[in-house]
Amino acid sequence: EDYVVHKISYSAGAYVQFKFSKTFSLSSGADYYQLNYQYNLNKNQSYDELTFLSFPLTIRVFPSRKLHFETGLLYHHLIEARNTEIVDLRKQRPLYPEGVFKNVFGWLFGVQYNVWKRLDVSLQYRFLKKASDTQRLQKNHFEAFQLGLHFYILNPQKKPK
């Protein structure tokens, strides 16, 4: 989408992981996820701010103690869709009317590296897609790279029994 300029977004969440073996696990959790971007059109330079509650379900493969790869399904539940201009003319507010943006499924691919004890860094590629009205400027299709910083409360290196 050439008419959109992506902005820095953020998320925060909590995850649980179940290790089946030293090299394979299943992970799930919840994220508060905010997606920001700006329209880059002659008549529209406004910003959109979408807030989701995201639920990932991923499988993780551990080729070494410090590195793991993951892939899995995402479900994004839309909490709020806001624009910097008034977009709901009936109610005179910057919130999009219901139905413009929707709950959406997606997929993620990621790599995570242990830098020190219980501190990890990660890089994820996420994409979300749902059929959208072709006449609308707003689409339910998003792609993003996400950098992450992770701190484990429980020891992730604990070997399964």
Side-chain angles (χ1 to χ4, degrees):
E1 298 167 354
D2 297 329
Y3 59 88
V4 171
V5 177
H6 298 280
K7 299 295 180 185
I8 292 178
S9 303
Y10 65 90
S11 74
Y15 296 88
V16 292
Q17 170 179 282
F18 180 75
K19 278 188 131 177
F20 293 100
S21 68
K22 285 188 204 180
T23 59
F24 182 76
S25 76
L26 187 64
S27 177
S28 187
D31 281 324
Y32 176 84
Y33 190 69
Q34 189 162 38
L35 184 64
N36 303 309
Y37 55 90
Q38 179 181 11
Y39 294 106
N40 192 22
L41 300 167
N42 289 337
K43 295 182 180 180
N44 187 351
Q45 297 289 314
S46 67
Y47 290 82
D48 272 354
E49 187 177 277
L50 308 177
T51 305
F52 293 98
L53 193 56
S54 175
F55 301 98
L57 179 62
T58 64
I59 56 172
R60 293 180 171 182
V61 177
F62 297 80
S64 73
R65 285 180 63 86
K66 291 191 165 272
L67 179 71
H68 76 258
F69 298 98
E70 70 181 318
T71 187
L73 185 67
L74 290 169
Y75 176 72
H76 278 56
H77 175 75
L78 181 68
I79 296 172
E80 182 178 75
R82 172 181 297 274
N83 189 279
T84 53
E85 297 177 359
I86 293 178
V87 290
D88 189 347
L89 299 175
R90 280 188 258 156
K91 296 183 179 176
Q92 290 294 307
R93 62 184 187 166
L95 297 176
Y96 281 103
E98 199 171 307
V100 174
F101 293 101
K102 299 176 178 129
N103 300 337
V104 61
F105 280 98
W107 203 262
L108 74 84
F109 300 96
V111 60
Q112 191 165 316
Y113 183 76
N114 177 251
V115 290
W116 182 68
K117 292 187 181 181
R118 296 181 184 198
L119 185 66
D120 285 17
V121 294
S122 70
L123 176 65
Q124 286 184 349
Y125 171 71
R126 294 176 169 216
F127 67 90
L128 315 167
K129 188 169 186 174
K130 185 166 188 147
S132 301
D133 182 353
T134 56
Q135 302 300 315
R136 283 194 184 267
L137 181 62
Q138 298 81 14
K139 304 291 183 209
N140 279 298
H141 176 82
F142 308 104
E143 296 179 53
F145 283 98
Q146 182 174 333
L147 293 173
L149 186 61
H150 309 265
F151 180 77
Y152 290 93
I153 296 171
L154 300 175
N155 187 355
Q157 301 303 333
K158 186 176 179 182
K159 295 178 182 153
K161 295 179 182 179

